[in-house]
Amino acid sequence: MEYEQMMANFTEHQNVSVNVQTGEAPVNQSIRNIRYKKVAFLKIHKAGSSTAQNIFLRYGYSKNLLFVLSKVRKEQYDNVISLSSSLNENNTISPPMNKTFDVLCNHVLYNREAFQKYIPGNTAYIGIVREPFEMFLSTLNYFRPAYIFKNIKAITPVLNYLVDPWKYEKGLPLTYSLTNNRMALEFDFPKHLFKTYSKEESNAYLSKLNQEFHFVIIMEYFAESVVMMRRILGWSIKDVLYVKKNSAKKYSFVDNTYRYLYQRFAKLDYDLYNFYYIQLWEKIKLEGIDFQLELSFFQNLRKAVEDYCIKHNQTVRPYHVPDSQWSTAFKVTRKDCDLLLLNEMKFVSLIRQRQHTNSTNYK
């Protein structure tokens, strides 16, 4: 769909006047005084983080920024720095001499001091969360943890686990568990809270996180989150285009009526999710009508770009997007499509190769 037609369809359902040629709307609150170059993205397993990660991979790659990368290890995937610890000299490659890193977006546990050490200066901290029970089911589908599917000898092992999670988590190191408040673990919640929950201490830590993270994406409201993030980071619309990745088919291990059992167990994850869910809508409310206009524009544009990259992949000429209220004119090329569609493992490998080539110190 051409841009002018897309804008015409978009404005048919709006109650404000928008110029089809320029995309102008009567209100604009999308301008930020700060444009963040450096970004640390906390990539959470099974929370839509691969789709989000591609935004940061493309951003850093297109601007030739320096990425934090893992040391090459046979026993671990190239896109994983660590599943059990934060950044340290044992799991990362040192930056070239007299340089510091610009982008972090591979799997690693959060620790404020470690992150600041590796990406010092004016860095935007971005996280992502997902509704915990849905994340639990997705985790089961992808990882098939042995302590549930092999150790529980029952017709309904997942239901047995939910009835008494501690029975099966007992003795399992916290960092080995994929189901014990895993999001809270990766956000570095105090370890004692996983055994002895305290609402007061959980809220206190969330207040600390709120001072450290500039924004946390809500997976279930991904488009809304990306538009809000774009405004906070001061990035362009082209910077935050995306194609959905790793979307699994529907799966069912237990009936949805048992969600309450997981809510009872995963209190920290629900505190985390609910806190940032509320934060998202509070931020959106402050943006006014212009946010809703940009969101509709972005959703239509993103779909048009996805169609151009996938359905019309034989088209050679770039997809042109003229000036709008929210963006200067830009074009989407076949090379842009290649990067939008590139698997994260191959993308990280591409970045690793370029950084190694660019610096004799990068080993």
Side-chain angles (χ1 to χ4, degrees), residues 216-233:
V216 173
I217 297 166
I218 304 295
M219 177 186 166
E220 288 78 8
Y221 297 94
F222 197 84
E224 290 87 345
S225 294
V226 167
V227 171
M228 191 69 245
M229 181 182 75
R230 183 200 76 77
R231 293 180 169 218
I232 291 171
L233 297 181

Side-chain angles (χ1 to χ4, degrees), residues 122-227:
N122 190 27
T123 302
Y125 283 71
I126 305 296
I128 189 167
V129 293
R130 182 181 186 179
E131 199 284 326
F133 185 66
E134 295 301 321
M135 180 177 168
F136 169 71
L137 295 178
S138 180
T139 297
L140 297 183
N141 184 64
Y142 185 82
F143 290 105
R144 301 280 171 161
Y147 59 88
I148 294 178
F149 289 99
K150 289 186 178 180
N151 293 359
I152 301 177
K153 308 299 182 183
I155 298 176
T156 56
V158 176
L159 180 55
N160 282 45
Y161 171 86
L162 286 172
V163 170
D164 188 6
W166 282 116
K167 178 180 178 180
Y168 306 103
E169 295 281 351
K170 186 177 180 181
L172 190 68
L174 187 58
T175 55
Y176 283 29
S177 177
L178 297 168
T179 50
N180 183 2
N181 293 278
R182 184 69 197 189
M183 287 192 297
L185 174 72
E186 298 195 20
F187 270 90
D188 198 30
F189 269 65
K191 300 301 183 288
H192 69 273
L193 292 180
F194 291 80
K195 288 188 176 181
T196 308
Y197 173 78
S198 164
K199 180 66 172 177
E200 183 179 356
E201 289 187 63
S202 177
N203 287 342
Y205 186 72
L206 285 168
S207 295
K208 177 179 179 291
L209 283 180
N210 198 39
Q211 298 298 313
E212 297 172 356
F213 278 79
H214 294 76
F215 186 67
V216 173
I217 297 166
I218 304 295
M219 177 186 166
E220 288 78 8
Y221 297 94
F222 197 84
E224 290 87 345
S225 294
V226 167
V227 171

Side-chain angles (χ1 to χ4, degrees), residues 107-123:
H107 286 295
V108 70
L109 305 192
Y110 177 65
N111 176 271
R112 182 64 173 184
E113 290 72 24
F115 275 43
Q116 285 182 319
K117 177 182 176 181
Y118 276 80
I119 312 185
N122 190 27
T123 302

